[in-house]
């Protein structure tokens, strides 16, 4: 099992540019926004206070959008 704080490291080298700022929103499985933040390039999102479950991360930069499913257990 995983221990300690949970982090998501933005490692989308071909998609994210370290010099750009992205708007990140994370939704729970019910569609409620549980996080809304701006990220610059490779940055961590702390999930240690989140309950176990399925989340959906959406990153926006202009018309570009990236969606990722995240399972915390």
């Amino acid at each position: 099992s995983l221990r300690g704080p949970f982090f998501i490291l933005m490692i989308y080298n071909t998609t994210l540019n370290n010099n750009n700022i992205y708007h990140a929103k994370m939704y729970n499985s019910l569609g409620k926004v549980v996080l809304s933040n701006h990220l610059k390039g490779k940055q961590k999102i702390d999930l240690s206070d989140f309950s176990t479950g399925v989340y959906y991360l959406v990153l926006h930069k202009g018309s570009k959008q990236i969606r990722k499913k995240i399972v915390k257990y």
Side-chain angles (χ1 to χ4, degrees), residues 4-35:
F6 290 81
F7 292 98
I8 300 172
L9 180 59
M10 299 296 115
I11 310 180
Y12 302 111
N13 290 331
T14 59
T15 310
L16 297 183
N17 182 318
N18 289 336
N19 299 322
N20 288 329
I21 297 175
Y22 293 82
H23 186 207
K25 280 192 177 180
M26 188 169 313
Y27 301 87
N28 65 14
S29 59
L30 301 175
K32 179 181 176 187
V33 176
V34 294
L35 178 132

Side-chain angles (χ1 to χ4, degrees), residues 22-60:
Y22 293 82
H23 186 207
K25 280 192 177 180
M26 188 169 313
Y27 301 87
N28 65 14
S29 59
L30 301 175
K32 179 181 176 187
V33 176
V34 294
L35 178 132
S36 182
N37 201 0
H38 287 91
L39 302 175
K40 184 173 182 182
K42 295 178 185 177
Q43 189 172 343
K44 294 179 181 180
I45 299 174
D46 184 356
L47 298 180
S48 59
D49 291 334
F50 285 63
S51 301
T52 58
V54 177
Y55 297 91
Y56 301 92
L57 177 66
V58 181
L59 300 172
H60 294 275

